[in-house]
Amino acid sequence: IEQTGDKGIKLQDVKDGKATLDEFVAQLDNVELEAITRGDYKMNSPLGAKGNAGAYGGVLESLREKGVKPIITTDGPSGIRILSCCSLLPIGTLLACTFDTKLVEKLYSIIAKEMKEKGSDVLLAPGMNIHRNPLCGRNFEYFSEDPYVSGKMGAACVRGVQSLGGSACPKHFACNNQELARTTNDSQVSERALREIYLKAFEICVKEAHPKNIMTSYNKINGVWSHYNYDTCVTVLRNEWCYEGNVMTDWWMHPSKSIEFPKIRDQAYRVRSGVNLLMPGGDRVTNGKPDGTLFATLDKPFGITVGEVQQSAKWVLKSVMEIE
C-alpha cells in the first residue's frame, strides 16, 4: 500500500482494492471506532440536508479526512421527510393492495432519484411489521397481516430504493405490532410463530433484495430488547439468512446490562449483540459526548474487546462504501 507521510489508508483505497477493510479499520483509534458505532447524536444533523433524521459514518473530522463520508438518513415509508418539498407516496397498506411488486419497485425507483436530488442516502423504509393489532398506530406504514405479501412488497421497495446506489432500511426488526407501550412492551411469542409470521417477511426481503441497512425495534422479544437480541440479530439474521449489511437501532435505545456478561452494558452490550450502529447517537437529551459504556470493560475479564468493536465498525463502513 502506497502511503504518504502520516496520511495512512483512505477508505477509497479499500474501494479501489489497494487495501483491505481490515487494514483500514486497524489504523483507527478507539475514539474513531466509538464514533463509527453511533450517529451524529441528533436528528437534523448539520452534516446533511435540513430536516434529516440523522447522520452516521464520517461524524468526526478525522474520519472524514480518512475518506469516510457522512451518510444521511431520512424518514420514511411514505416518502422522504425533510424540510424541503418532497413527494408524498401512497401508504404501505395501499401499495400492498395492488399485489403488484413491479409497480411498487418502479415507484420506489422514482424515490431513489428524489433521494439523490434531496440529499438522502438512506431512506428509513420500508416498514414491514405485521398487522396483528388493528389499533397499531403505524399500521398505515406497514403492508399486511400476511408475512408473504409483506416480504414481497418490502423486497420490491428495497430494490427500487437501492436501484440508484442509495440504501433502504427495512424496519422494525422485529415484533413491533401494537401501539400500547410500543416502545417498552415485551413481545412474547413462540419460536414457530416468530419464524412463520413475524420474521418471515424480513427473511424474504433480506434474501431477495439484500438491503444495505436494517433497523431493530424498540420492544423486547421474549424478554430481551431487540437492540440487544443476539438470537435475532446474529443467530437468525447473519448466520441463517447470511445478511451482509449494517444493523442499526431505532432512534435511541433502552439502557440495560447483559444477562450473560453482567459487567458490560449499553453500547458494549449492543455491539456484542450484533447491533452495529446506535442512531442517532447518545441519549434523547445528550451533551454530544460518548456515554463511556463502549470501552468501559476493555481489558477486563469478559469485557468488550477491540476486535468486537472493529468488527462492528466494518459492517458500518461496508454500508458507507456501498452507498453512492
Side-chain angles (χ1 to χ4, degrees):
I1 304 165
E2 184 177 348
Q3 300 182 19
T4 303
D6 60 353
K7 292 183 179 179
I9 303 168
K10 306 292 186 183
L11 196 59
Q12 187 63 43
D13 295 329
V14 180
K15 293 183 70 173
D16 293 341
K18 298 177 182 178
T20 66
L21 189 54
D22 284 332
E23 290 170 326
F24 179 84
V25 170
Q27 71 182 344
L28 304 180
D29 61 29
N30 287 356
V31 172
E32 293 169 324
L33 285 173
E34 184 279 331
I36 289 176
T37 70
R38 48 89 179 163
D40 193 33
Y41 290 120
K42 55 191 175 183
M43 300 178 71
N44 194 23
S45 167
L47 296 173
K50 291 184 178 181
N52 65 76
Y56 72 88
V59 299
L60 298 181
E61 184 176 351
S62 65
L63 289 171
R64 294 192 289 274
E65 289 174 351
K66 292 179 174 67
V68 183
K69 62 185 178 183
I71 298 298
I72 307 305
T73 67
T74 54
D75 283 321
S78 295
I80 305 172
R81 191 181 77 187
I82 51 177
L83 290 184
S84 64
C85 182
C86 295
S87 301
L88 179 63
L89 266 67
I91 63 172
T93 307
L94 180 59
L95 294 178
C97 288
T98 67
F99 294 94
D100 191 335
T101 54
K102 291 184 178 180
L103 176 66
V104 172
E105 183 175 342
K106 183 177 180 181
L107 176 65
Y108 272 82
S109 67
I110 296 173
I111 291 299
K113 181 179 179 181
E114 188 172 22
M115 287 171 64
K116 281 190 171 293
E117 294 172 351
K118 303 294 185 180
S120 170
D121 298 307
V122 180
L123 190 69
L124 303 174
M128 296 186 59
N129 293 107
I130 295 296
H131 288 176
R132 182 187 67 82
N133 188 320
L135 300 181
C136 179
R138 300 186 77 167
N139 274 350
F140 74 96
E141 292 184 348
Y142 305 150
F143 297 113
S144 173
E145 76 284 1
D146 181 86
Y148 182 78
V149 172
S150 298
K152 289 292 186 179
M153 289 293 161
C157 290
V158 171
R159 288 193 297 269
V161 168
Q162 297 188 170
S163 61
L164 295 180
S167 172
C169 185
K171 61 184 186 182
H172 306 90
F173 187 67
C175 301
N176 196 271
N177 308 96
Q178 67 183 50
E179 194 61 26
L180 180 64
R182 181 175 69 89
T183 64
T184 57
N185 75 292
D186 185 358
S187 299
Q188 298 185 18
V189 55
S190 69
E191 182 163 2
R192 180 177 180 180
L194 183 64
R195 288 180 175 273
E196 292 185 359
I197 300 174
Y198 300 103
L199 295 182
K200 180 55 69 174
F202 288 99
E203 179 182 6
I204 293 169
C205 181
V206 165
K207 289 182 175 180
E208 293 189 1
H210 311 290
K212 300 171 186 177
N213 284 279
I214 195 167
M215 183 194 296
T216 59
S217 53
Y218 285 129
N219 53 285
K220 292 180 179 179
I221 303 173
N222 293 330
V224 180
W225 297 111
S226 67
H227 43 263
Y228 302 122
N229 202 302
Y230 186 93
D231 286 345
T232 53
C233 294
V234 177
T235 302
V236 173
L237 182 61
R238 291 223 186 267
N239 295 346
E240 294 186 15
W241 299 351
C242 301
Y243 177 66
E244 294 188 346
N246 176 45
V247 181
M248 67 174 70
T249 68
D250 202 342
W251 265 221
W252 299 283
M253 69 180 201
H254 301 277
S256 182
K257 67 178 181 180
S258 169
I259 299 170
E260 298 88 354
F261 307 98
K263 292 184 179 180
I264 71 168
R265 62 178 303 115
D266 301 351
Q267 310 313 326
Y269 184 18
R270 169 181 60 81
V271 166
R272 180 163 289 179
S273 301
V275 179
N276 315 120
L277 178 65
L278 169 64
M279 288 299 291
D283 299 322
R284 285 184 180 273
V285 180
T286 181
N287 58 6
K289 296 180 180 179
D291 63 14
T293 61
L294 180 59
F295 286 112
T297 59
L298 187 65
D299 297 327
K300 296 180 180 178
F302 304 107
I304 198 70
T305 66
V306 172
E308 287 176 289
V309 182
Q310 288 175 327
Q311 179 58 62
S312 194
K314 284 166 61 179
W315 288 120
V316 178
L317 290 168
K318 183 174 182 292
S319 80
V320 171
M321 288 191 295
E322 290 181 347
I323 294 171
E324 299 174 2

